[in-house]
């Protein structure tokens, strides 16, 4: 009877140890699969988020040069019409993150600043210049710099930046939904993110 009891205890202990090892392996497997899935999702959103806009600018350029004092001057002028395509983008391939598998935390450590690209198309009208004050490369470069500065002011006053930020939040929300569905926590700037509103506020 004693041998039967000892045998039963050993058998039960073996079953419990086996189940414990099996459960532990299953949990590790699930954890690794979840980590791989999160990393894959982070790679999937690593693309350029682009917001495009079109701006028109009419620029009057004038330059006057004194030749023999203020009584004699040589002038040049141009009417410049600019149509520009502007792109605001985030290169999400530069997003950096840490995965804490033990505590099930995805910590986004860096999101790049938005990039602004301006592609202007210049058309010159009514270009006139005196013989002693001709147009040169510096004039055209100055016109481009002034037009780009003016376009940047228009971009800042427009909704292009906010539209790009909304696209950014939309992309990152995919990670938020995925992490929460698997019982993980998304952290950005040391702040746990629970919903879209909090993510939007952190990025502002």
């Amino acid at each position: 009877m004693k041998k039967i009891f000892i045998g039963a205890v050993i058998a039960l202990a073996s079953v419990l140890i086996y189940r414990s090892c099996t459960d532990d392996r299953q949990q590790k497997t699930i954890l690794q699969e979840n980590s791989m899935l999160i990393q894959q999702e982070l790679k999937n959103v690593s693309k350029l988020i682009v917001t495009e806009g079109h701006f028109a600018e009419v620029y009057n350029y004038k330059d006057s040069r004194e030749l023999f004092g203020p009584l004699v001057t040589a002038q040049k002028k141009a009417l410049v019409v600019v149509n520009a395509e502007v792109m605001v983008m985030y290169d999400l391939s530069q997003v950096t993150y840490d995965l804490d598998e033990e505590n099930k935390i995805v910590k986004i450590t860096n999101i790049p600043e938005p990039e602004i690209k301006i592609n202007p198309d210049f058309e010159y009208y009514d270009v006139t210049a005196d013989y002693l004050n001709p147009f040169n490369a510096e004039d055209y470069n100055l016109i481009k710099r002034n037009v780009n500065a003016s376009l940047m002011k228009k971009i800042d006053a427009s909704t292009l930046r906010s539209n790009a930020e909304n696209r950014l939040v939309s992309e990152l929300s995919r990670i938020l939904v995925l992490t929460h569905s698997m019982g993980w926590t998304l952290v950005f700037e040391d702040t746990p993110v629970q919903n879209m509103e909090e993510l939007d506020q952190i990025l502002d």
Side-chain angles (χ1 to χ4, degrees):
M1 184 71 180
K2 185 177 181 181
K3 291 181 179 180
I4 296 174
F5 177 74
I6 293 174
V9 170
I10 293 173
L12 179 60
S14 299
V15 171
L16 292 176
I17 292 172
Y18 174 77
R19 291 186 61 182
S20 176
C21 292
T22 302
D23 291 343
D24 187 54
R25 284 198 300 269
Q26 288 179 344
Q27 289 178 359
K28 288 182 178 179
T29 300
I30 292 173
L31 186 60
Q32 290 176 354
E33 290 176 349
N34 288 347
S35 298
M36 292 176 61
L37 186 60
I38 291 172
Q39 291 183 52
Q40 184 61 44
E41 185 63 21
L42 284 163
K43 290 180 180 179
N44 288 340
V45 300
S46 295
K47 61 184 179 183
L48 292 180
I49 299 176
V50 179
T51 299
E52 293 185 349
H54 298 274
F55 293 86
E57 180 86 9
V58 178
Y59 179 72
N60 282 297
Y61 177 73
K62 292 182 180 180
D63 179 78
S64 180
R65 178 180 300 176
E66 293 183 356
L67 300 179
F68 305 102
L71 297 178
V72 180
T73 60
Q75 296 184 347
K76 56 186 169 184
K77 64 179 182 177
L79 177 65
V80 186
V81 177
V82 183
N83 288 290
E85 181 183 83
V86 179
M87 294 183 292
V88 182
M89 63 189 71
Y90 291 88
D91 186 357
L92 293 186
S93 65
Q94 298 181 20
V95 171
T96 58
Y97 60 91
D98 293 324
L99 287 182
D100 183 351
E101 295 184 357
E102 182 178 354
N103 297 305
K104 295 185 177 181
I105 293 175
V106 181
K107 184 177 182 181
I108 297 177
T109 56
N110 177 68
I111 291 178
E113 292 295 319
E115 302 173 17
I116 299 177
K117 291 189 176 182
I118 303 175
N119 298 313
D121 179 26
F122 292 84
E123 294 185 11
Y124 292 84
Y125 299 92
D126 192 24
V127 179
T128 59
D130 291 339
Y131 178 76
L132 296 177
N133 189 16
F135 267 88
N136 54 42
E138 181 56 32
D139 291 302
Y140 292 106
N141 290 333
L142 179 59
I143 289 172
K144 289 182 180 180
R145 288 196 297 269
N146 290 343
V147 167
N148 283 338
S150 177
L151 288 173
M152 282 300 300
K153 291 181 180 179
K154 287 187 175 182
I155 293 169
D156 291 336
S158 72
T159 60
L160 279 183
R161 288 181 182 271
S162 60
N163 289 343
E165 289 178 358
N166 291 337
R167 292 284 302 276
L168 173 64
V169 172
S170 177
E171 290 295 323
L172 294 180
S173 67
R174 293 164 51 184
I175 303 172
L176 175 63
V177 172
L178 179 63
T179 53
H180 281 194
S181 67
M182 296 188 305
W184 287 55
T185 301
L186 180 65
V187 174
F188 182 56
E189 293 185 346
D190 297 323
T191 302
V193 182
Q194 302 298 329
N195 50 54
M196 287 277 292
E197 288 75 16
E198 291 181 0
L199 180 61
D200 195 9
Q201 290 174 2
I202 292 173
L203 293 174
D204 283 344

